Amino acid sequence: MILPRIDIDLRKIAHNVQQLKKLYGSKGINIIGVTKVVGGNPIIADVLVKNGIEILADSRISNIIKMRKAGIRAQYLLLRIPALSEAEEVIIHTHISLNSELAVLKKLSEYASRNHIVHKVVLMVELGDLREGIMPSEINTHVKEVLNLEGLALVGIGTNLACFGGISPDAHKMNELSSIVERLEEKFKITLAMVSGGNSANYNWFTSSKDAGRINSLRLGESIFLGREALCRKPIPGLFTDIFTLMAEVIEAKIKPSQPYGEVYQNANGDVPNFKNKGLMNRAVLAIGIQDIIVSGIVPKQNVAILGSSSDHIVIDNTRASLKVGDAVAFDLNYIALLRAFSTPHITKNTIDIYECASIL
Ligand SMILES: *Cc1c(COP(=O)(O)O)cnc(C)c1O
C-alpha cells in the first residue's frame, strides 16, 4: 500500500463508542459523534452509527455532504456556528446547527421557510472560554426572537469550553448552564430537549459529579478517537488510545555529520537552526512533511528521534533503529496531527475492517 498511510482500527473505534455510550448513558447523557477530526470519513462514520450514535456532528458542511452522499443515515449537526454566506447550505444539508448570531438565524429562517423545512437550532451560551456564544445577559432576547422565526425549532441550549481559552467545564460552569436552561423554560414556557454541555473536556466534571443536572448531551471527538479526555489529555480507563497509526517511508538512510556545515541562515521554516555537533550519525529522511502533518503532534513508535522537517521531508536520528531505504516508521498522533492527516489527500487512509481485526485477535 502507498505510503504515507494512516492505519485505522475500526474495531477499536467501535469499542470506544460502546464504552463511552455506557459511561455517559449512566447519568443520562447522550453522545453526539464528532467527525471533523477524521474529515467526515464515511467508513468511520458508519462505525459510529452502527454502534448507536444517532447524531453526527461536523464543523464543515463539505464533510457532512460527504457522509450523506455515502448513505450514512443520521441526524447531522453543524458544529461551527454558520457563516451568513453558507445559510442556504446549512438548511439544505444539515438538520441541526449551533448558533449565536441573530442575523444568521434570520437567514436560516428565510431559507428554511422557502424550502418548507423545519431546521433545529441550538443556541450557544458564552461561559468564559470566549469563542462562540451569546452572553448570558443577552440570552433572553435571543430566545424571544428565535421563537418567533418561522422554519426554526429551538431544540436546545449549548456551551463550548476548553477550546480557545482553556477554561474548564467544571461543576460551577455546568450548574450555570443548567440554571440558564431552567430560567428559560420557565420564562418562555418551553422545553429545551437538548442541553449540550460540551466536548471531550467534560470528562473530569462528569466523573466527579453525582449527577449531570440538566446536561443531557455531549459532543465527543477526541474521547472516541484518541480515548482521552481533553483537559489534561489523560487516557480514559477502558478505552483504546492507539486507534490510528501513521506510517511513513524511509527514502534515504546514510551516515552523515550531525551538524549542518557552511554558513547558517534561515531554513525552509524561516528558523535559523542550531544543531549540536555529536559527530557522525546514522540519519534517515522520510517521505512526509509539514504539508502532510503537524510534525510536533506525532511521536515515533520506534526508537528514532525527529531532528527536523521541511515541507515534504522529516529527518530522523536513525542511530538506534538502523532503518533502511524502504522501511517504514510508525507514529502515534495527537488530535491536531490527526486532523491534518485526514485533511490531506497525500496520506492514504487504510481502514482495517472489523472482521479483519477480529481474526487477528
Ligand atoms: C470540535 C468540537 C467538539 C468536539 O471536541 P472534542 O474535544 O474532539 O470532543 C465539540 N464541540 C464543538 C463546537 C467543536 O467545534
Side-chain angles (χ1 to χ4, degrees):
M1 193 171 294
I2 294 172
L3 295 178
R5 146 188 123 215
I6 185 155
D7 290 334
I8 308 151
D9 189 331
L10 297 178
R11 190 193 59 96
K12 289 182 178 173
I13 295 176
H15 170 89
N16 281 8
V17 170
Q18 289 165 13
Q19 291 295 111
L20 286 165
K21 266 185 70 88
K22 212 187 298 169
L23 174 73
Y24 283 108
S26 69
K27 292 179 199 164
I29 292 183
N30 183 50
I31 291 172
I32 294 175
V34 173
T35 51
K36 70 183 181 214
V37 72
V38 292
N41 183 297
I43 299 171
I44 295 174
D46 191 44
V47 174
L48 301 191
V49 170
K50 290 220 167 95
N51 286 279
I53 298 288
E54 287 156 3
I55 305 177
L56 293 176
D58 207 289
S59 50
R60 310 290 167 133
I61 296 177
S62 54
N63 285 346
I64 290 177
I65 293 173
K66 200 198 299 181
M67 292 185 278
R68 292 191 70 172
K69 271 206 179 131
I72 311 301
R73 291 173 63 96
Q75 288 269 306
Y76 285 95
L77 182 148
L78 185 65
L79 275 178
R80 184 167 68 184
I81 53 169
L84 206 51
S85 61
E86 64 184 356
E88 188 170 14
E89 279 71 32
V90 175
I91 293 302
I92 295 170
H93 300 294
T94 79
H95 305 102
I96 316 169
S97 57
L98 308 181
N99 285 274
S100 69
E101 284 289 352
L102 280 175
V104 175
L105 286 156
K106 284 175 187 160
K107 267 270 182 285
L108 292 175
S109 158
E110 221 176 281
Y111 287 115
S113 309
R114 203 179 293 171
N115 287 283
H116 309 288
I117 282 171
V118 175
H119 180 78
K120 295 177 188 152
V121 163
V122 173
L123 288 183
M124 295 298 276
V125 185
E126 177 61 66
L127 290 181
D129 200 56
L130 298 184
R131 203 177 66 187
E132 74 276 40
I134 301 158
M135 289 304 287
S137 57
E138 289 174 9
I139 190 86
N140 280 355
T141 53
H142 282 67
V143 168
K144 192 169 168 209
E145 292 238 22
V146 171
L147 291 174
N148 287 325
L149 288 175
E150 227 180 288
L152 299 186
L154 178 63
V155 297
I157 294 290
T159 195
N160 194 69
L161 293 157
C163 273
F164 177 79
I167 299 299
S168 168
D170 55 16
H172 174 70
K173 300 288 184 192
M174 291 301 105
N175 292 343
E176 193 178 347
L177 188 64
S178 287
S179 350
I180 290 171
V181 167
E182 278 170 2
R183 271 208 309 278
L184 291 172
E185 287 186 336
E186 190 164 345
K187 181 170 174 62
F188 294 100
K189 309 279 173 256
I190 52 174
T191 307
L192 294 163
M194 182 190 286
V195 183
S196 190
N199 51 47
S200 295
N202 283 57
Y203 176 80
N204 298 0
W205 157 75
F206 176 84
T207 51
S208 62
S209 308
K210 245 207 274 107
D211 69 81
R214 289 296 308 269
I215 316 306
N216 64 6
S217 161
L218 288 176
R219 312 172 300 271
L220 300 185
E222 182 152 2
S223 295
I224 294 175
F225 295 116
L226 294 176
R228 293 173 187 275
E229 52 80 31
L231 273 189
C232 308
R233 304 239 137 64
K234 291 210 183 88
I236 295 175
L239 298 194
F240 289 110
T241 56
D242 59 350
I243 290 171
F244 302 92
T245 307
L246 176 70
M247 304 291 287
E249 188 169 344
V250 175
I251 54 174
E252 182 187 294
K254 292 186 192 305
I255 308 292
K256 291 188 182 181
S258 47
Q259 191 176 43
Y261 47 96
E263 267 195 81
V264 183
Y265 279 87
Q266 289 184 11
N267 66 12
N269 308 323
D271 306 322
V272 179
N274 181 12
F275 289 100
K276 288 210 171 69
N277 188 359
K278 299 180 188 167
L280 287 175
M281 179 193 266
N282 185 342
R283 302 161 69 92
V285 179
L286 307 180
I288 187 169
I290 299 166
Q291 190 183 156
D292 314 293
I293 199 74
I294 294 186
V295 180
S296 59
I298 60 175
V299 178
K301 295 172 92 160
Q302 282 126 292
N303 203 351
V304 301
I306 297 175
L307 296 171
S309 56
S310 56
S311 47
D312 303 289
H313 306 83
I314 290 178
V315 179
I316 59 170
D317 179 344
N318 189 29
T319 310
R320 298 216 166 102
S322 298
L323 299 168
K324 304 204 163 37
V325 168
D327 285 346
V329 179
F331 294 91
D332 282 324
L333 306 92
N334 72 6
Y335 193 81
I336 51 165
L338 199 57
L339 193 68
R340 177 73 66 85
F342 269 95
S343 42
T344 173
H346 302 294
I347 296 181
T348 309
K349 315 299 183 294
N350 177 34
T351 46
I352 301 165
D353 193 74
I354 290 177
Y355 305 104
E356 278 175 55
C357 297
S359 64
I360 293 168
L361 286 171

